[in-house]
DNA sequence: ACCTGAACACCGTTCAAGT
DNA sequence: ACCTGAACACCGTTCAAGT
């Protein structure tokens, strides 16, 4: 028996579970998706999931990582675009994950692992945005500007506005960042 | 038997339940507070709660109304203050309700009544802020500015920053609203 | 009108037992 | 190593029965 082959199978099976969870969490929501329903969709017994994940929050973290990886892969096409377009693209790209964003915020107090994921996510996205704003605006205000932008994007994600409203808000947000 | 007396008692009992729920929802969180625990705190059987409320979300709405009424009662002391101070005061006033805010967002998709409450809340707070910004900034951008401000306040409420960071962000947010 | 004990259908998770 | 049936402790909610 080769020692590497089972490892490979394990990762395959795990990602099948993540794919099923991703679809159900996004379509029906995290709370509305029972472990039993997830197991049914993946064709296993409910308790089998616990061989691959610590608990339901651990499944959620795996789904978040998968969604984020896809979003980052698509992000490459955006370099050099105006910042307001990048913001709007981000909002529309993550629009389908609306329910996931609110679920993360609601479960931060109940799952230490999810809390850590959320902190890391904010740290990396805020670093990305700070890099874009550097040498454009006053360094003394950059941290506050980054937070305002991130909170606004989160608000746009969680409040389901019309595309036109989203665009106007992104434009207005970027209006105070002079290009040079 | 007087027909009005029972009415009075009913409202009293109901507000006792709301008081208990308010304390538990804020201290332990909505999900972590079971109907059994709430009933125990109020000294009734679990199913008695359903004589006063439709369901658990209906209890949440009553708690939200109570919190909001108290906040509005205290708001009077703020009239005439600079807008950035009003924003910071709002954030700190509602800081204790951090978990409630995320719970509302997470449960919007599951409770039609809560969704309606959330829509009404946004409508009234945004109208309030719009009134403050009128004749100060370009009418074409006022709706976007209001949304940015509301989303930033929500972000401040749900992300537990240090008071110093909160103040800087409120100042930076108000920096684009010229006084006249 | 108000309150309750008991039950219902579910939930996430654990465990002993299999292969 | 991987998977399962059965059980566990809990959940929000309902219902028949009391006063």
């Amino acid at each position: 028996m080769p020692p590497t082959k089972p490892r490979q199978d394990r990762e395959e099976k795990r990602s099948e579970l993540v794919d099923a969870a991703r679809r159900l969490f996004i379509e029906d929501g995290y709370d509305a998706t029972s472990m039993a329903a997830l197991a049914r969709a993946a064709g296993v017994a409910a308790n089998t999931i616990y061989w691959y994940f610590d608990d339901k929050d651990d499944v959620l973290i795996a789904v978040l990582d998968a969604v984020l990886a896809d979003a980052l892969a698509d992000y490459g096409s955006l370099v050099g675009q105006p910042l307001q377009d990048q913001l709007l693209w981000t909002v529309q790209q993550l629009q389908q994950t609306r329910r996931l964003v609110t679920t993360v915020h609601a479960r931060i107090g109940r799952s230490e692992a999810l809390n850590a994921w959320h902190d890391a996510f904010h740290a990396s996205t805020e670093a990305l945005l700070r890099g874009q704003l550097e040498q454009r605006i006053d360094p003394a205000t950059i941290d506050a500007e980054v937070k305002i932008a991130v909170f606004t994007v989160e608000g746009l994600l969680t409040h389901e506005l019309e595309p036109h409203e989203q665009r106007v808000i992104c434009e207005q947000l970027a209006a105070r960042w002079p290009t040079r």
Side-chain angles (χ1 to χ4, degrees), chain A:
Chain A
M1 292 165 261
T4 53
K5 185 67 179 305
R7 279 279 178 182
Q8 179 59 24
D9 288 348
R10 180 175 174 83
E11 289 309 309
E12 245 174 58
K13 187 77 176 260
R14 195 185 137 105
S15 73
E16 281 175 23
L17 285 169
V18 172
D19 287 347
R22 176 176 179 165
R23 187 170 46 79
L24 289 171
F25 285 175
I26 288 177
E27 271 177 33
D28 303 336
Y30 177 84
D31 285 331
T33 301
S34 68
M35 294 297 266
L38 172 54
R40 209 177 312 119
V44 297
N47 48 8
T48 297
I49 301 172
Y50 291 88
W51 183 257
Y52 295 92
F53 302 94
D54 291 341
D55 49 31
K56 198 180 177 183
D57 286 299
D58 197 29
V59 181
L60 176 58
I61 290 174
V63 168
L64 293 170
D65 282 334
V67 169
L68 200 58
D70 285 358
L72 277 178
D74 292 350
Y75 179 71
S77 59
L78 278 198
V79 286
Q81 296 272 64
L83 253 183
Q84 70 197 54
D85 292 348
Q86 292 190 32
L87 288 178
L88 184 58
W89 179 90
T90 302
V91 169
Q92 289 172 347
Q93 174 87 359
L94 298 180
Q95 193 72 1
Q96 46 161 355
T97 68
R98 226 182 99 248
R99 317 171 90 143
L100 294 187
V101 177
T102 62
T103 298
V104 167
H105 289 145
R107 294 202 60 75
I108 276 177
R110 309 210 64 179
S111 163
E112 187 48 53
L114 196 57
N115 188 35
W117 187 93
H118 178 258
D119 285 348
F121 173 76
H122 267 274
S124 71
T125 54
E126 286 173 19
L128 191 72
L129 186 52
R130 191 180 292 107
Q132 301 265 35
L133 291 183
E134 260 165 20
Q135 302 166 336
R136 266 203 193 191
I137 64 179
D138 181 3
T141 66
I142 197 167
D143 283 337
E145 283 293 335
V146 167
K147 294 276 189 198
I148 290 172
V150 169
F151 290 158
T152 301
V153 169
E154 277 193 357
L156 286 172
L157 283 178
T158 54
H159 282 88
E160 207 166 20
L161 304 188
E162 290 171 22
H164 168 258
E165 291 179 287
Q166 294 177 341
R167 211 191 63 245
V168 172
I169 290 169
C170 285
E171 286 168 0
Q172 185 64 19
L173 188 62
R176 67 159 91 189
W177 305 329
T179 51
R180 60 168 72 171

